[in-house]
Amino acid sequence: MKITEVKVFVCSPGRNFVTVKIFTDAGLYGVGDATLNGREMAVVAYLQEHVAPCLIGRNAHDIEDIWQYLYKGVYWRKGPVNMAAIAAIDMALWDIKGKAAGLPVYQLLGGKSRKGVTLYAHASGETIEDTLDKAEQHIKQGFKAVRLQCAVPGLNVTYGVLGDKADYFELQGSRPLPPEEEWCTQKYFNMIVELFQQARARLGNNVHLLHDVHSRLTPIESARLGKLLEPFGLFFLEDASMAENQDNYKVIRQHTTVPLAIGETYNTIWDCKDLIQNQLIDYIRVAATHAGGITALRRIADFASIYNVKIAPHGAPDLSPICFAAHMHLNIWAPNFGIQEFVGFGNAHSARIFKHGFEVKDGMAYLNDAPGLGIEFDEEAAQEYPYKRSYLPVSRLEDGTVWNW
Ligand code: CS2
Ligand code: MG
């Protein structure tokens, strides 16, 4: 089955999505997600100019060989642009293989390890009360796990809380240039413990609670936060500190028993090898789109399973529904699946472009038995939503120093 064409699309039904479609001489095609938030066009150029020409005429069944060819063969290994491109190709090839076999991708991975995929929803509010009102709504809908994020009093904007803004484009205004956000660790600490104290008092002890620090703290500050949050039994604390130096997590780990999760910006197994091998984390949050696709995530999941680390794939709105589909197949298969972040399936515009049969009920997501990834991409509908330049925010300390966003 030969690859005959590789098409790359960029559409913006509320956020930019980069989609790859691979066609074969058997009449089968597959789709993959290559979205790199804020740097989308770099991946588009990389795919069109450097990757697509190498694929024409290759056997679409050779997923592993093509993966290795694009990874080892490029000489400049790793990196977010390269790995997002490889990821999209890899997803599309798994989609094709499933369609050729007449089986959903999870069957090719080894079959189901569970009935459905447990999700966590987002509750983000301007005040603690507002955050907990939203959490209560999710719990009423059947969610068993909720991530709590609350605006920090005294800061202009807080990660995860968009306020009255519908999307990132609104946040950026008419320029568009990266919006700037302030950070103050002391003000954050004043809010965060209170948030979880009130959450347990109001929501009880049966619901799983999560929180994303978004890498704003130093390791010793994360250690302190972990200790302060221990009484509230979090499911996990996400991105407490950066781990470019993976030893940072030794500092956090030696002080607290709060379960730790990290990995949404990672591109390869090498970014998390020490964290996993030294059991410094409990959940690895790599996304199929940013870490080399299904082939790479399967390898990371197997490696992690030896060290009691579970997968909890990134599920932000800037990953396209095709990435969500890839995660669904990995999550239903992986013996060491933990939890899936879930922010809904996007808006009505996005639903016109990405069509799938996933079902969400009582906080769980279910797959049907459609062959391949089980998701369709409507090229014509996508054309109605052209690319819009967009940036992620930049963070600064109150004295103006650039900080981790
Ligand atoms: C996040 C994301 O979902 C998450 O946990 O940290 O919102 C992240 O900020 C974006 O994906 C960045 O593109
Ligand atoms: Mg996060």
Side-chain angles (χ1 to χ4, degrees):
M1 183 168 45
K2 287 205 162 83
I3 296 175
T4 51
E5 195 181 0
V6 179
K7 282 191 181 173
V8 186
F9 306 87
V10 200
C11 63
S12 188
R15 339 193 42 129
N16 291 314
F17 293 125
V18 180
T19 304
V20 166
K21 204 164 172 183
I22 298 183
F23 298 84
T24 66
D25 61 3
L28 296 173
Y29 62 85
V31 292
D33 176 33
T35 308
L36 185 61
N37 197 357
R39 294 293 184 271
E40 298 86 356
M41 299 313 278
V43 191
V44 172
Y46 187 79
L47 278 162
Q48 285 175 337
E49 179 62 22
H50 305 292
V51 175
C54 303
L55 297 178
I56 308 302
R58 282 179 193 280
N59 185 348
H61 275 306
D62 294 347
I63 300 179
E64 187 68 51
D65 184 67
I66 291 174
W67 197 97
Q68 299 295 340
Y69 184 90
L70 294 175
Y71 184 77
K72 293 181 182 159
V74 72
Y75 186 61
W76 316 106
R77 298 185 186 200
K78 309 196 267 183
V81 175
N82 181 35
M83 297 311 289
I86 296 179
I89 302 294
D90 183 78
M91 284 179 208
L93 294 177
W94 278 100
D95 192 19
I96 291 171
K97 199 185 271 300
K99 286 172 180 165
L103 291 170
V105 168
Y106 74 81
Q107 292 293 11
L108 308 181
L109 295 172
K112 280 189 187 180
S113 294
R114 56 193 56 78
K115 301 183 284 200
V117 169
T118 302
L119 306 168
Y120 69 87
H122 285 192
S124 307
E126 291 298 331
T127 61
I128 292 180
E129 205 190 342
D130 180 23
T131 307
L132 298 184
D133 286 347
K134 289 181 175 145
E136 262 181 355
Q137 287 166 19
H138 288 306
I139 295 165
K140 272 196 197 119
Q141 285 169 20
F143 282 93
K144 314 283 186 293
V146 187
R147 185 187 92 161
L148 305 181
Q149 305 295 138
C150 180
V152 176
L155 298 185
N156 65 347
V157 204
T158 307
Y159 160 75
V161 189
L162 273 181
D164 58 351
K165 307 282 186 298
D167 55 38
Y168 267 98
F169 299 112
E170 271 195 35
L171 196 71
Q172 291 166 93
S174 55
R175 301 185 284 164
L177 284 172
E180 298 212 352
E181 300 184 353
E182 293 170 327
W183 179 253
C184 170
T185 297
Q186 189 57 39
K187 289 178 180 164
Y188 169 72
F189 268 94
N190 294 342
M191 176 280 291
I192 192 72
V193 180
E194 183 68 23
L195 171 66
F196 280 90
Q197 237 157 18
Q198 290 196 29
R200 279 300 175 209
R202 213 173 125 180
L203 309 173
N205 289 324
N206 288 334
V207 63
H208 292 304
L209 299 178
L210 303 87
H211 176 67
D212 189 351
V213 183
H214 225 265
S215 309
R216 299 293 199 275
L217 302 179
T218 64
I220 199 67
E221 288 166 351
S222 291
R224 178 176 164 226
L225 177 66
K227 277 183 154 175
L228 289 169
L229 294 182
E230 269 171 33
F232 312 114
L234 264 65
F235 186 92
F236 67 54
L237 185 66
E238 178 186 336
D239 285 345
S241 294
M242 295 299 278
E244 283 158 308
N245 172 5
Q246 297 181 42
D247 281 352
N248 278 352
Y249 272 60
K250 284 188 187 159
V251 177
I252 309 174
R253 199 62 152 176
Q254 73 195 5
H255 289 291
T256 176
T257 58
V258 69
L260 300 170
I262 194 167
E264 64 182 43
T265 62
Y266 293 174
N267 311 127
T268 72
I269 197 165
W270 302 106
D271 296 332
C272 48
K273 178 185 152 282
D274 298 349
L275 291 170
I276 293 173
Q277 210 167 17
N278 297 324
Q279 296 185 221
L280 300 179
I281 55 168
D282 303 279
Y283 296 89
I284 181 69
R285 291 193 17 88
V286 279
T289 299
H290 299 136
I294 294 171
T295 298
L297 248 69
R298 179 180 59 170
R299 201 155 279 141
I300 292 173
D302 273 338
F303 176 64
S305 74
I306 307 173
Y307 301 101
N308 305 308
V309 175
K310 294 182 178 181
I311 61 163
H314 187 202
D318 50 287
L319 294 153
S320 97
I322 300 173
C323 178
F324 183 80
H327 289 165
M328 281 298 286
H329 292 271
L330 284 156
N331 292 338
I332 205 89
W333 152 75
N336 54 329
F337 166 67
I339 200 160
Q340 174 64 58
E341 179 179 21
F342 181 68
V343 289
F345 289 115
N347 58 24
H349 304 296
S350 169
R352 292 187 56 223
I353 302 168
F354 301 96
K355 292 168 188 157
H356 57 83
F358 303 121
E359 233 187 281
V360 171
K361 198 171 171 254
D362 291 335
M364 305 264 291
Y366 298 91
L367 286 143
N368 58 30
D369 275 340
L373 289 176
I375 183 149
E376 286 298 327
F377 174 76
D378 187 324
E379 289 181 36
E380 275 169 31
Q383 274 174 7
E384 293 173 37
Y385 304 94
Y387 166 74
K388 292 203 267 180
R389 182 151 55 90
S390 169
Y391 291 98
L392 282 167
V394 169
S395 186
R396 288 186 192 273
L397 302 181
E398 288 173 304
D399 71 357
T401 310
V402 173
W403 193 235
N404 312 327
W405 181 72

